[in-house]
Every structure is written in C-alpha cells, then in structure tokens.
Amino acid sequence: MKKCAFTIVAKNYIGLGQILGQSVAKYHDDVDFYIVVADGFEEKPAMLPANVILAKEALGYDSKTWTDMAFKYNLTEFCTSIKPASFQYMFDKGYDKAIYLDPDIYLFSPLTEAYERLDTYDVALTPQIAGIHVDYQGEHPEWAMNVNGIFNLGFCAMRNTQLSATVLAWWRLRLQKEAFADRNVGDFTDQKWMDWMPGLLGNEHLYVFHNLGMNMAPWNYFERQLFMRDGQIMVKYRTDDNPYREDRLVFIHFAGYDYKKMKQGIISRKRIENLKEYEDLSFATDIYGKAIVENQQVFDGFINNQYSYGTFDNGTPIQSFHRRLYHGYTEKHTVDNPFATTQGSFYSLIKRKGMVEAGKKENIDKLSQRNIPDIEGKRRMIALLFSMLYKLFGYKRYVLFVKSLYNYCRPELHTFLINKK
C-alpha cells in the first residue's frame, strides 16, 4: 500500500516542515513526505523543494471560495481549513494511507503503529489527554480542552476508502464556512469538528490512540513522563491515578515553542506560560533543539517571506477584526475582492469608518491579557464602569444588559458599524 505523510505551512515555515520531513525520512524510507504551502509566491523560487505543493494550484478550490477563505480566516485558521482538501489531494495521487502532522512536530521513533491501524480503520486520532484524572492537575485548563476539542488535530491519519471520502467531503464543506477559532460559538479551526467522529463513525471505523508516545505536547506534559530504557526514549504516566503503562516515544508536538531561540540553543516556549519545567523533557527537547541548530540554513531559507494574505493590496495589515467583520458583512452584501483598496471596496468602507489607522505600527492582534500594560488596572477601570452601570440600571435591567452582551461578543455582530444606509 502506498503511504504518505504531509504537513501544511505558510511559506515562511517551509524550513520547519523540512525538518519534520527529515525526522519522517529517518524512520520511513517507504513513506513519501509533502509540504503543502497555504499561501503562495509572486515568483516561484528556483530552489523550491520538490516535495512542496502550492495549495492554491493543487487543491481544486474555485477562485471565489479561495479568496473568501484567505481573507476571512487568519493564518492558523486558513492553514487548518485546507486540511481535508489536502487529504483528498493525497488520495487522488494514489496513496492508500495518509498521515497529517503539524510542522512543529518531530519524530523520535517510527509511525508504524499509526499506519498499521489504517489496515483496519478509516480514521485514527489522538486525544488531547490520554488518562482519566479525577483530580486534574494540568496547566492547560479543562474548559479549554472542551472548547478546543477532545482530539488534537496536529495529527490525523486516514485510509483511502469510500467512508473517509465522505468524511473529507463533509469536513471540507464545513471548513469552507466555519474554521474560525471562536469560543463564543464553539468553533475551533478544523479541530472541533472531529468531536463528531465517535458518533458518526463508531468503534468499527474510528481508532483513538491511547499510546502515550503519540502526540505528546505541552497540554499533556503533566500526565506523561519521559525516561530512558535500552537507549530508547520511553513514556509513562507521570501520575499514579491511571493503570501503569509505558510506550516508546513516537513524536512530540512542540506547540508554542520559540523556534528562533531554539536556533541559539535555548529551549523556550511562548505559550502556556505557567507550564512547569519538567526536567525529563530534556531527553527529547535537546534532540529537537539540536535538529533546529543543525538545520539553521534550512529553517532560515524561507523564514523572511511575508504571509501572502496578511495585508490589503496596498500593504496595510489586515487585522482579525477586519476579517471577521467582512465575514459578517458578506452574509448580506457581495464583496468581489476583499483585498482590494479601490474606491467602493470593503477596505474603503472600513477606512471611512476609522478602522484603518494609518501610520500606527502596533498590532492589535498581538495584544492579549499577557502583554497589555497594567492589565489589572484596566480591569479595575472596567469593573468601575460596570458598577456605575449597575447603579444606573438597577438589578433587573443590569442582568438583562449583561445577558445582551452575548449578542455583541463576535465581530460579525458589529456590521451595523459599516452597513450602508
């Protein structure tokens, strides 16, 4: 049976995808590896790796759908939205088994079990957490798992069958419309949709891995401990609230790590800042860090390329609020090219409403609770404002007011700001 593995990146992370590909090739000489690039090049580089697939040319989206998705989704949302189409492409090329891996994954042993499970099952997934933890001690809150999805789609394996073809058609259509990371409505990119799989496929067609060595990641470090045995990196439960088991480490999902610092030999994370420094992780992080250092030229080969769909056609950055406002606006209006800045364009509409701030370099999308100066002081000011509203409204009207805020929590619900009279 023909087997492949693939990842999806924006073009600046082609190098990271190549490093993943090297780890796949180390253990599998019978697996073809591909890098699907979500955005594109104005001029295709002469030295573009042969295994790079330009999604816009290959995945069969019509121009209108592609433009709509490229604008309304941010980079992460867009890359994940084309995942089912990428699986379809692999199967159209004649592959019988395909495995998707996020570009920030690295293999430490073969994917043999994953491919073997596809002899029997149509789809195979990995859960965010493998054990039952009555007294949950993970740094990543459980409510976030509920919102983000039970399975982590940094890994997904499928066999080329009629059933998987139906799943992909179903998944692709939904991601054309709803691949947002939006907790308010229960969306989380391509990932949340996979919570449907146990109900749609059942045990006969879906395999869920409980191998601790599969898709180890920052959100499950609290439950999995690395140790060495006979020269192999092994994994066992870090806690004693589950039956003892041990598995060989297959791959780690290095989500949220600072790859630029790793080039300098510094293991650093940018997300889940309260994550404990588990010393045993060094068995694996040292290996990955060394791979990044040794492949600096590969990593840097495309790193300075700008995301093709990050700006309007005049170079003005597109903010997430613009993207989501556009999404809401197009429910009742037609926009031929949302990237255009000509008279009468979507850009001219939001600019006229003061939503394009010329000359300001601060990226609103990068502001969060972690980096806004004096966040506690600002929270106190908001609390004071709400206290004043409470005094003004009284209890009953205040409660109704708070309930009504849900109707304005998504940018799509603010199209009244730009609707033409």
Side-chain angles (χ1 to χ4, degrees):
M1 288 184 129
K2 287 185 64 178
K3 298 178 291 187
C4 73
F6 69 96
T7 192
I8 302 172
V9 299
K11 59 180 176 288
N12 66 318
Y13 264 15
I14 289 176
L16 194 65
Q18 288 178 283
I19 294 171
L20 164 62
Q22 290 177 9
S23 74
V24 173
K26 178 179 179 180
Y27 299 106
H28 297 280
D29 58 8
D30 60 339
V31 172
D32 296 327
F33 181 78
Y34 296 97
I35 302 171
V36 178
V37 176
D39 57 343
F41 299 91
E42 290 186 12
E43 266 189 56
K44 190 181 294 187
M47 299 301 291
L48 194 66
N51 65 335
V52 165
I53 297 166
L54 299 181
K56 187 177 181 180
E57 299 175 3
L59 300 189
Y61 290 96
D62 64 76
S63 178
K64 182 179 179 181
T65 301
W66 183 267
T67 301
D68 175 67
M69 292 170 64
F71 189 88
K72 72 184 178 185
Y73 294 142
N74 65 26
L75 188 156
T76 300
E77 292 165 346
F78 186 57
C79 286
T80 57
S81 73
I82 62 173
K83 194 176 295 180
S86 299
F87 269 106
Q88 289 173 326
Y89 175 83
M90 300 303 163
F91 291 152
D92 287 345
K93 283 176 68 71
Y95 290 102
D96 302 292
K97 301 177 180 180
I99 291 178
Y100 169 81
L101 300 165
D102 267 0
D104 49 3
I105 279 173
Y106 195 78
L107 267 63
F108 295 88
S109 66
L111 289 164
T112 305
E113 183 185 2
Y115 283 113
E116 287 178 347
R117 293 298 179 186
L118 293 177
D119 289 336
T120 306
Y121 297 91
D122 300 82
V123 180
L125 300 171
T126 50
Q128 307 269 22
I129 303 296
I132 300 174
H133 304 279
V134 176
D135 183 20
Y136 179 80
Q137 298 294 323
E139 294 88 359
H140 203 49
E142 286 180 299
W143 66 260
M145 303 288 188
N146 288 334
V147 173
N148 296 350
I150 302 304
F151 304 104
N152 181 265
L153 265 290
F155 165 91
C156 181
M158 288 195 179
R159 180 162 55 105
N160 189 0
T161 65
Q162 184 58 54
L163 180 59
S164 65
T166 303
V167 168
L168 290 171
W170 173 88
W171 198 19
R172 174 172 175 154
L173 183 59
R174 278 141 189 83
L175 295 186
Q176 285 179 200
K177 300 176 181 178
E178 293 291 337
F180 298 104
D182 189 343
R183 288 170 173 166
N184 295 298
V185 292
D187 284 344
F188 193 77
T189 63
D190 65 316
Q191 187 166 286
K192 184 69 172 180
W193 290 102
M194 288 294 100
D195 283 0
W196 290 65
M197 288 300 101
L200 296 181
L201 300 185
N203 296 336
E204 183 181 353
H205 301 285
L206 171 68
Y207 185 81
V208 177
F209 284 98
H210 284 82
N211 181 329
L212 298 180
M214 297 280 288
N215 215 351
M216 189 170 170
W219 45 86
N220 57 43
Y221 285 168
F222 82 96
E223 73 166 4
R224 306 184 193 191
Q225 181 178 353
L226 299 181
F227 66 100
M228 297 295 297
R229 190 178 67 194
D230 299 329
Q232 301 291 338
I233 305 178
M234 306 293 292
V235 193
K236 63 182 180 180
Y237 278 114
R238 193 180 295 277
T239 56
D240 58 4
D241 52 353
N242 281 277
Y244 187 85
R245 68 172 293 162
E246 55 183 51
D247 298 292
R248 187 177 177 186
L249 177 63
V250 182
F251 64 90
I252 289 184
H253 188 169
F254 290 96
Y257 279 71
D258 190 330
Y259 309 109
K260 291 183 179 179
K261 284 188 177 180
M262 292 181 83
K263 286 195 305 176
Q264 305 167 27
I266 303 170
I267 306 299
S268 175
R269 289 180 300 275
K270 294 184 287 187
R271 299 204 306 269
I272 314 183
E273 56 189 13
N274 64 334
L275 187 70
K276 294 177 183 176
E277 295 296 332
Y278 300 106
E279 292 183 4
D280 55 281
L281 294 177
S282 62
F283 288 128
T285 54
D286 287 352
I287 293 173
Y288 188 52
K290 183 179 179 182
I292 297 287
V293 170
E294 291 179 348
N295 289 277
Q296 286 188 54
Q297 287 185 314
V298 172
F299 182 86
D300 290 339
F302 296 90
I303 198 66
N304 293 322
N305 281 271
Q306 298 299 308
Y307 180 51
S308 301
Y309 306 124
T311 65
F312 292 96
D313 64 13
N314 66 354
T316 301
I318 303 169
Q319 297 171 1
S320 289
F321 192 83
H322 299 155
R323 297 182 188 276
R324 300 291 295 277
L325 197 64
Y326 157 82
H327 177 232
Y329 185 76
T330 54
E331 290 180 0
K332 295 183 179 179
H333 303 87
T334 299
V335 177
D336 293 329
N337 178 10
F339 294 96
T341 55
T342 52
Q343 186 176 357
S345 63
F346 176 75
Y347 171 87
S348 67
L349 180 59
I350 63 173
K351 183 178 181 181
R352 191 161 62 247
K353 295 294 183 176
M355 297 180 184
V356 178
E357 299 177 294
K360 294 204 174 183
K361 296 182 179 179
E362 185 177 50
N363 186 344
I364 295 176
D365 290 342
K366 291 187 177 181
L367 294 178
S368 69
Q369 297 182 67
R370 293 193 296 265
N371 58 26
I372 293 177
D374 189 26
I375 183 65
E376 291 304 321
K378 290 177 172 60
R379 283 175 174 157
R380 287 192 295 270
M381 289 179 63
I382 293 172
L384 179 61
L385 174 62
F386 275 87
S387 296
M388 293 170 63
L389 290 173
Y390 180 78
K391 291 179 181 179
L392 177 65
F393 292 160
Y395 172 69
K396 182 177 179 180
R397 289 180 178 175
Y398 182 81
V399 171
L400 292 173
F401 167 71
V402 171
K403 286 183 177 181
S404 74
L405 292 179
Y406 178 79
N407 295 316
Y408 299 95
C409 62
R410 306 178 70 215
E412 286 90 338
L413 301 172
H414 292 259
T415 54
F416 59 85
L417 295 172
I418 60 172
N419 280 335
K420 298 176 183 177
K421 294 182 180 179

